[in-house]
Amino acid sequence: MAKQEGITFKKSENFSKWYNQIVLKSELADYAPVQGCMVFRPNGYAIWENIMKALDQKIKARGVRNVYFPQFIPESFLKKEAEHFSGFAHECAWVTQGGEKKLGERLAIRPTSETIMYVAFSNWIRSHRDLPLKINQWCNIVRWESATKLFVRTTEFLWQEGHTVHKTKEEADKEAMEMLEVYRDLMENYLSIPVLIGRKTEREKFAGALHTFALEAIMPDGDAIQLGTTHQLGQNFSKVFGIKFLDENGKEKYVWQTSWGVSSRLIGSIVMTHSDNKGLVLPPRIAYAHVVIVPIFYKKVEKDKVLKKAKEVKEILEKENLSVILDDREGYTPGWKFNEWELKGMPIRIEIGPKDVQEKQVVMVRRDIPEKVTVKESELLKKTKQLLENIQKNLFNKAKKLLEENISTVKTYEEFKKVLKNKKGFIRACWCSDSKCEEKIKEETGATIRNIPFEKEKIFSDCIYCNKKAKEVVYFAKAY
Amino acid sequence: MAKQEGITFKKSENFSKWYNQIVLKSELADYAPVQGCMVFRPNGYAIWENIMKALDQKIKARGVRNVYFPQFIPESFLKKEAEHFSGFAHECAWVTQGGEKKLGERLAIRPTSETIMYVAFSNWIRSHRDLPLKINQWCNIVRWESATKLFVRTTEFLWQEGHTVHKTKEEADKEAMEMLEVYRDLMENYLSIPVLIGRKTEREKFAGALHTFALEAIMPDGDAIQLGTTHQLGQNFSKVFGIKFLDENGKEKYVWQTSWGVSSRLIGSIVMTHSDNKGLVLPPRIAYAHVVIVPIFYKKVEKDKVLKKAKEVKEILEKENLSVILDDREGYTPGWKFNEWELKGMPIRIEIGPKDVQEKQVVMVRRDIPEKVTVKESELLKKTKQLLENIQKNLFNKAKKLLEENISTVKTYEEFKKVLKNKKGFIRACWCSDSKCEEKIKEETGATIRNIPFEKEKIFSDCIYCNKKAKEVVYFAKAY
């Protein structure tokens, strides 16, 4: 019997080490032998596949079609939009040698694909009939990082980037706002993570955008994490790349554009939000499997009967598109397997022993809360689906409570700093809307403005930094 | 009305220009503004999605799970297996700068992932309980190319690479052979492209493999194309990377490995094989859509009725998971639309006019052969499915005939050269099995040995090059 070592760090005591241990031991991912990079192992990649599947359906239903553009971006393209270039140039990986040949111009590996795509758009778009153009790509992205945090911050990561082109500002506004809703649905109803939505400040917006809108969540250690963004790009890129169309009256106009993306860091946020000191906890809708069946027997004659029943149960559930693992490995005790599957985050464990076979029942155990129920075989399918739904909702409700408890309202900079020191979370405060105050606060405390809420909230104090008249209520936090 | 220009090159006259025109005008792909690279446009990428979906299901059913490894491979890793390195080093793109930092060791962008994966395998595998390990990744690959042929030969392309690890040689042999069958099923039953299967010569095998097995097809211009390979890697990599396991008796052993892959060049082979002088022709099972509905009307009162019916037809077909486009664009005549959808390879066109609405019927037109039938609405679904199945089979049968007509048997080098000059295709010939003859033939004619058939064929002449005693009947061809 292999020695089993569970999670040894506590979530409440050493969040960062606990997180790494969960990710590594549940075999979601591994460090790669290349600085800043990681390996998505099967359990982790399967979660990404489930996220892709859910989101891909939603965006295709909106008329978006998938594409694939080259990952190499000539430096001169990146440079075309000056703000964009200065935002990304310092974190690009550069290819300088192709085969035996030293390149005349170095190529960036895409940190995002606006520039390479928009050169093509300028060739594809001629008339109002070609609009709207809505495309998306699922791909790898490279942004050079010195620090590594599995899933959350790595030099190479996976994401999707949607890019849409419109005739009018209004259409582009609508697209950017509607995609926020698509993302919120994904995060809240699939990942069970509630989010705060709002507009980024000028300082925090995407390099090259007119406006950036963001979905922000809070993690149990009190740090915020940006889970997705949509950008109203305005005509910034279309003017630089010459993306024009003839409108219904034969008049030439520049297009309006949006881009939007979420990345594999979503997986990190799921792990942090839901897991506990026993290991991984996963929302069923994106879990790499739904149910593990652990057969329990001691004698050979029991074994055959129990395994036969276990296979029947597996089939019944699989017919309804549930993903089921039958753990019939030999040489491990049931107790050892229970621990292993708790560590690995299986939403439901079904135990079947000789008595259960006889009584036509199974024992079902939830991963999210300690609850063990005996279920009649005739109720198996119904009860499994119900439990999965309950787990999904329970995880969301717990996370929602966490979010609510982690929003503090402050009126002074002293209070602000005190909250940051003790509890962190989102800090709701009034701001004069001057970038200088924002900058100073970041320098002095590390906190940034995560969002300006869409629905303007009532001003309740002067600017917490300069004490001049406040113009906005905003949400600050330290962030991943 | 926009001017419409169809395919102006003839397949039989200028195959290469015809091919490019089809790919560009049917909007499968575009050249990228980066040397050697291409853009997968929505129609082309959707074909890749259909191929991925079909193959992914098949390999998952075999117990393979998907992963994602970093695309950066330190040069020292690539160098570990000497043969492997010499096979790939000259075509790598090299990253030498990461962010602001000049790298100490340059990083290759994966030309294939054996070396980066096998470092991880050596950490993951300890015991016979950890085997077999079967993983796969869908990703982008870079191999520096000077010449570009859309889909077929580009610096960056998309592929899947499967990697499996086994206890014994026999298990690895079995995996490599069974994956060949999976690929054959994909190519013949989804892409409608018949293949010749066999073993590669020592000279042509994958750099680092014990044996390479390949699936080869013939294109209408007489050139062969390698559509997929599986490799029995033996213990070449496991010895270099130290991938060992303790067997049931506690004895330490090196593992046996396989790898296997197909790439987005499959799309190129589909286009070349099936398309005609009017445009793209696609096998329905991988087509980006199955049916286009073109409504036909001249008066406003007709329009409403016809469009209503068209939408009903669309719904009926979509309920059965068929992908349907309703071309209700205004400002284009039905005739213009017919041409457009022929060019773009829609397998079935459904025409609905006022008379059809009245008679409760539609007109169905096949893309692969000139056939137009009137179908009662009550038969719509059944007939559509039948037609799609017929098109799928008809395309395969035509391609099968092409393959059969393009296998020539020769007994002398003179005959060999004559066939290469006039007709090309596969040339079945006897060979002494000496690499020197193989090398000389390539130098003098450009033809290579594509396959040694698994079932040894009866020797019917001396070696065509050296005239010494032949040991193998093999298939030569010029290849893409």
Side-chain angles (χ1 to χ4, degrees):
Chain A
M1 173 90 64
K3 186 170 165 255
Q4 191 173 44
E5 199 188 298
I7 302 301
T8 56
F9 292 103
K10 298 265 176 279
K11 188 172 186 176
S12 58
E13 289 169 11
N14 195 330
F15 188 77
S16 176
K17 285 190 174 164
W18 165 85
Y19 172 77
N20 278 336
Q21 211 175 31
I22 300 267
V23 170
L24 295 171
K25 290 204 172 188
S26 63
E27 297 180 356
L28 293 183
D30 204 351
Y31 289 103
V34 187
Q35 201 229 309
C37 292
M38 64 174 282
V39 178
F40 288 68
R41 298 187 71 174
N43 290 349
Y45 195 79
I47 295 175
W48 184 237
E49 286 181 309
N50 290 336
I51 292 172
M52 286 198 282
K53 196 176 164 190
L55 183 56
D56 202 64
Q57 273 178 3
K58 288 175 201 296
I59 64 179
K60 280 183 177 154
R62 294 177 53 77
V64 177
R65 299 186 71 198
N66 287 335
V67 297
Y68 187 78
F69 274 75
Q71 71 168 337
F72 295 133
I73 304 183
E75 186 168 16
S76 56
F77 285 28
L78 267 189
K79 278 185 170 160
K80 283 194 179 181
E81 217 285 347
E83 209 178 278
H84 187 72
F85 182 73
S86 73
F88 287 105
H90 65 283
E91 58 186 23
C92 287
W94 296 99
V95 175
T96 56
Q97 172 102 16
E100 313 283 1
K101 210 176 66 185
K102 193 162 157 40
L103 302 181
E105 178 181 15
R106 60 183 189 163
L107 303 172
I109 301 181
R110 67 180 155 228
T112 180
S113 302
E114 277 75 8
T115 56
I116 184 91
M117 286 184 173
Y118 298 173
V119 173
F121 287 6
S122 70
N123 293 321
W124 296 348
I125 295 167
R126 290 282 168 266
S127 142
H128 63 93
R129 290 176 194 274
D130 301 321
L131 299 175
L133 176 70
K134 298 187 181 190
I135 60 140
N136 174 68
Q137 78 181 5
W138 294 96
C139 65
N140 54 343
I141 285 289
V142 171
R143 294 179 187 173
W144 209 261
E145 294 282 356
S146 44
T148 308
K149 189 170 184 74
L150 293 163
F151 290 117
V152 173
R153 191 169 289 280
T154 51
T155 289
E156 185 183 12
F157 56 92
L158 302 176
W159 84 349
Q160 61 67 220
E161 50 182 319
H163 297 262
T164 70
V165 189
H166 306 270
K167 289 187 278 187
T168 64
K169 176 173 187 304
E170 291 65 36
E171 257 190 52
D173 280 341
K174 190 162 171 274
E175 187 73 26
M177 294 305 282
E178 287 180 2
M179 273 311 302
L180 269 185
E181 269 312 305
V182 171
Y183 285 153
R184 168 148 70 172
D185 175 27
L186 177 76
M187 290 163 195
E188 299 198 338
N189 297 323
Y190 291 75
L191 317 189
S192 290
I193 301 178
V195 285
L196 285 192
I197 297 187
R199 186 164 49 86
K200 287 280 174 192
T201 63
E202 281 299 298
R203 196 186 170 282
E204 296 286 333
K205 74 177 186 189
F206 178 73
L210 204 58
H211 301 297
T212 289
F213 310 114
L215 304 104
E216 300 267 336
I218 205 74
M219 296 293 101
D221 63 344
D223 278 356
I225 187 167
Q226 177 179 300
L227 293 184
T229 47
T230 77
H231 313 297
Q232 159 61 282
L233 299 176
Q235 296 179 312
N236 289 352
F237 287 91
S238 69
K239 286 186 176 162
V240 171
F241 287 91
I243 315 176
K244 290 178 280 192
F245 71 102
L246 287 177
D247 75 2
E248 287 82 348
N249 307 314
K251 208 179 146 193
E252 197 174 68
K253 290 181 173 166
Y254 287 105
V255 300
W256 294 80
Q257 294 180 269
T258 81
S259 66
W260 28 271
V262 296
S263 78
S264 46
R265 83 175 350 196
L266 289 176
I267 302 171
S269 71
I270 295 167
V271 175
M272 289 195 249
T273 303
H274 304 303
S275 302
D276 61 23
N277 290 332
K278 286 198 263 177
L280 186 65
V281 177
L282 293 173
R285 288 183 112 176
I286 53 82
Y288 61 89
H290 300 110
V291 173
V292 61
I293 304 173
V294 179
I296 303 171
F297 50 81
Y298 301 97
K299 303 172 202 154
K300 167 75 177 123
V301 52
E302 289 173 355
K303 176 180 167 183
D304 295 344
K305 272 188 204 161
V306 167
L307 278 184
K308 183 164 167 276
K309 180 55 69 184
K311 280 173 196 162
E312 277 173 33
V313 167
K314 184 168 190 270
E315 257 178 46
I316 290 170
L317 298 177
E318 283 179 339
K319 253 187 208 150
E320 293 283 313
N321 286 321
L322 296 172
S323 170
V324 182
I325 295 171
L326 170 54
D327 186 356
D328 56 2
R329 289 177 296 173
E330 304 204 345
Y332 299 90
T333 64
W336 195 94
K337 291 179 182 178
F338 296 171
N339 288 338
E340 160 126 327
W341 292 110
E342 273 175 357
L343 195 159
K344 290 190 173 170
M346 196 57 53
I348 295 176
R349 176 173 85 232
I350 292 183
E351 306 171 7
I352 306 178
K355 183 172 154 261
D356 300 311
V357 177
Q358 207 179 325
E359 304 280 333
K360 293 187 189 303
Q361 66 186 28
V362 302
V363 172
M364 296 181 81
V365 184
R366 279 172 77 151
R367 174 64 183 88
D368 60 329
I369 55 169
E371 186 184 284
K372 194 166 184 160
V373 287
T374 301
V375 176
K376 284 285 154 201
E377 263 177 55
S378 55
E379 298 279 295
L380 173 69
L381 187 60
K382 194 180 129 207
K383 186 69 187 171
T384 306
K385 286 184 172 178
Q386 203 178 76
L387 259 190
L388 290 171
E389 202 46 50
N390 290 350
I391 295 170
Q392 185 79 33
K393 280 188 196 145
N394 174 52
L395 293 179
F396 177 76
N397 290 337
K398 271 172 68 180
K400 178 106 180 152
K401 196 159 161 270
L402 178 78
L403 171 63
E404 283 160 1
E405 289 169 356
N406 273 284
I407 302 178
S408 309
T409 296
V410 304
K411 291 188 181 170
T412 67
Y413 197 44
E414 283 316 302
E415 277 180 88
F416 183 94
K417 285 189 282 191
K418 206 163 137 192
V419 172
L420 267 186
K421 202 175 160 196
N422 297 325
K423 159 180 191 185
K424 300 196 287 183
F426 287 113
I427 307 180
R428 196 167 154 265
C430 295
W431 173 53
C432 62
S433 87
D434 188 333
S435 293
K436 280 181 208 141
C437 286
E438 190 187 5
E439 185 72 42
K440 281 287 179 193
I441 293 171
K442 186 178 180 189
E443 269 175 41
E444 292 171 18
T445 69
T448 49
I449 298 177
R450 306 311 300 161
N451 267 338
I452 307 170
F454 287 130
E455 288 193 28
K456 219 175 157 73
E457 300 181 10
K458 200 173 174 309
I459 305 289
F460 53 82
S461 77
D462 290 331
C463 173
I464 48 156
Y465 193 79
C466 67
N467 294 318
K468 287 185 192 149
K469 198 170 161 58
K471 287 189 187 153
E472 304 272 11
V473 177
V474 298
Y475 289 77
F476 285 89
K478 286 197 180 175
Y480 277 97
Chain B
M1 170 94 60
K3 187 173 163 253
Q4 190 174 45
E5 199 188 299
I7 303 301
T8 56
F9 292 104
K10 297 267 175 277
K11 187 172 186 176
S12 58
E13 288 170 11
N14 195 330
F15 189 77
S16 176
K17 286 190 175 163
W18 165 86
Y19 172 77
N20 278 338
Q21 213 175 29
I22 300 267
V23 170
L24 295 170
K25 292 205 170 187
S26 63
E27 298 181 355
L28 294 183
D30 204 349
Y31 289 104
V34 187
Q35 201 231 307
C37 291
M38 64 176 280
V39 177
F40 289 67
R41 297 187 73 174
N43 290 349
Y45 195 79
I47 296 175
W48 184 236
E49 287 181 308
N50 290 336
I51 292 173
M52 285 198 284
K53 195 174 165 194
L55 183 56
D56 203 64
Q57 273 179 4
K58 289 176 200 295
I59 64 179
K60 280 182 176 154
R62 295 178 53 78
V64 177
R65 300 186 72 199
N66 287 336
V67 297
Y68 186 78
F69 275 74
Q71 71 168 338
F72 295 133
I73 305 183
E75 186 168 14
S76 55
F77 286 27
L78 266 189
K79 278 187 169 158
K80 282 193 181 183
E81 217 284 345
E83 209 177 279
H84 187 71
F85 182 72
S86 72
F88 287 104
H90 65 284
E91 58 185 25
C92 288
W94 295 98
V95 175
T96 56
Q97 173 102 15
E100 313 283 1
K101 210 175 66 183
K102 192 164 157 38
L103 302 182
E105 179 181 15
R106 60 183 189 163
L107 302 172
I109 300 181
R110 65 181 157 228
T112 182
S113 302
E114 277 75 8
T115 57
I116 184 91
M117 286 185 172
Y118 299 172
V119 172
F121 287 5
S122 71
N123 293 322
W124 295 347
I125 295 167
R126 290 283 169 265
S127 140
H128 63 93
R129 289 177 194 277
D130 301 321
L131 299 176
L133 176 69
K134 297 186 182 191
I135 60 139
N136 174 68
Q137 79 182 4
W138 294 95
C139 64
N140 54 344
I141 285 289
V142 172
R143 295 180 188 172
W144 209 261
E145 295 282 355
S146 44
T148 309
K149 190 172 184 72
L150 292 164
F151 291 117
V152 174
R153 190 168 291 279
T154 50
T155 289
E156 186 183 11
F157 56 93
L158 302 176
W159 84 349
Q160 61 67 221
E161 49 181 321
H163 296 262
T164 70
V165 189
H166 306 271
K167 289 187 278 189
T168 63
K169 176 173 185 306
E170 290 65 36
E171 257 189 53
D173 281 341
K174 190 162 171 276
E175 187 73 26
M177 295 303 283
E178 287 179 2
M179 274 310 303
L180 269 186
E181 269 311 307
V182 171
Y183 284 153
R184 167 148 71 172
D185 175 27
L186 177 75
M187 291 162 195
E188 299 197 339
N189 298 322
Y190 291 75
L191 281 45
S192 291
I193 301 178
V195 285
L196 284 192
I197 297 186
R199 186 164 49 86
K200 287 281 175 192
T201 63
E202 281 300 297
R203 198 186 168 282
E204 295 287 332
K205 73 179 187 188
F206 177 74
L210 204 58
H211 302 297
T212 289
F213 310 113
L215 304 103
E216 299 269 336
I218 205 75
M219 295 294 101
D221 63 344
D223 279 357
I225 187 166
Q226 177 179 300
L227 292 185
T229 46
T230 78
H231 313 296
Q232 158 61 282
L233 299 176
Q235 296 179 313
N236 289 351
F237 287 91
S238 69
K239 286 185 176 162
V240 169
F241 287 91
I243 314 175
K244 290 177 281 191
F245 70 102
L246 287 177
D247 75 1
E248 287 82 347
N249 306 314
K251 206 177 147 194
E252 197 174 69
K253 289 180 175 167
Y254 286 105
V255 300
W256 293 80
Q257 293 178 271
T258 80
S259 66
W260 28 272
V262 296
S263 79
S264 46
R265 83 175 349 199
L266 289 175
I267 302 170
S269 71
I270 295 167
V271 175
M272 289 194 250
T273 302
H274 304 303
S275 302
D276 61 23
N277 291 333
K278 286 197 264 177
L280 186 64
V281 177
L282 292 173
R285 289 183 110 176
I286 54 80
Y288 61 89
H290 300 111
V291 174
V292 62
I293 304 174
V294 179
I296 303 172
F297 50 82
Y298 301 96
K299 304 171 203 155
K300 167 76 178 126
V301 52
E302 289 172 354
K303 177 180 167 181
D304 295 346
K305 274 189 203 158
V306 166
L307 279 184
K308 184 165 166 273
K309 180 56 68 184
K311 280 173 194 161
E312 277 173 36
V313 167
K314 184 168 191 268
E315 258 179 44
I316 291 169
L317 298 177
E318 282 180 338
K319 254 189 205 147
E320 294 284 312
N321 286 321
L322 295 173
S323 170
V324 182
I325 295 171
L326 169 56
D327 187 355
D328 55 2
R329 289 176 296 173
E330 304 203 345
Y332 299 89
T333 64
W336 195 94
K337 292 180 181 177
F338 296 170
N339 288 338
E340 160 128 327
W341 292 110
E342 273 175 357
L343 196 159
K344 290 191 173 171
M346 196 57 52
I348 295 176
R349 176 173 84 232
I350 292 182
E351 306 170 8
I352 306 178
K355 183 174 155 256
D356 300 311
V357 177
Q358 206 180 325
E359 304 280 333
K360 293 186 189 302
Q361 65 187 28
V362 302
V363 173
M364 297 181 82
V365 184
R366 281 172 76 151
R367 174 63 184 87
D368 61 328
I369 54 170
E371 188 184 282
K372 194 165 184 162
V373 288
T374 301
V375 177
K376 284 284 154 203
E377 264 178 56
S378 55
E379 298 281 294
L380 173 71
L381 188 61
K382 195 182 129 206
K383 187 67 187 173
T384 306
K385 287 186 173 176
Q386 207 178 73
L387 260 190
L388 290 171
E389 200 48 49
N390 290 351
I391 295 171
Q392 185 80 33
K393 280 188 196 145
N394 174 51
L395 292 179
F396 178 76
N397 291 336
K398 271 173 66 180
K400 177 105 181 156
K401 198 162 159 266
L402 178 79
L403 172 63
E404 283 161 1
E405 289 170 357
N406 272 284
I407 301 178
S408 309
T409 296
V410 304
K411 291 187 180 171
T412 67
Y413 197 44
E414 284 314 303
E415 280 180 86
F416 182 93
K417 285 188 282 191
K418 208 163 135 191
V419 173
L420 267 186
K421 203 175 158 194
N422 298 326
K423 160 182 191 183
K424 300 196 286 183
F426 287 115
I427 307 180
R428 195 169 154 265
C430 295
W431 173 52
C432 64
S433 87
D434 188 333
S435 293
K436 280 181 210 141
C437 286
E438 190 185 6
E439 184 75 42
K440 280 287 177 190
I441 292 170
K442 186 177 180 189
E443 269 176 40
E444 293 172 16
T445 69
T448 50
I449 298 176
R450 305 312 300 162
N451 266 339
I452 307 170
F454 287 132
E455 288 194 26
K456 218 175 158 71
E457 299 181 10
K458 200 172 175 308
I459 305 290
F460 54 83
S461 77
D462 290 330
C463 172
I464 49 155
Y465 193 79
C466 68
N467 295 318
K468 287 184 190 150
K469 199 172 161 54
K471 286 186 186 155
E472 304 272 11
V473 176
V474 297
Y475 289 76
F476 286 89
K478 285 196 181 177
Y480 277 97

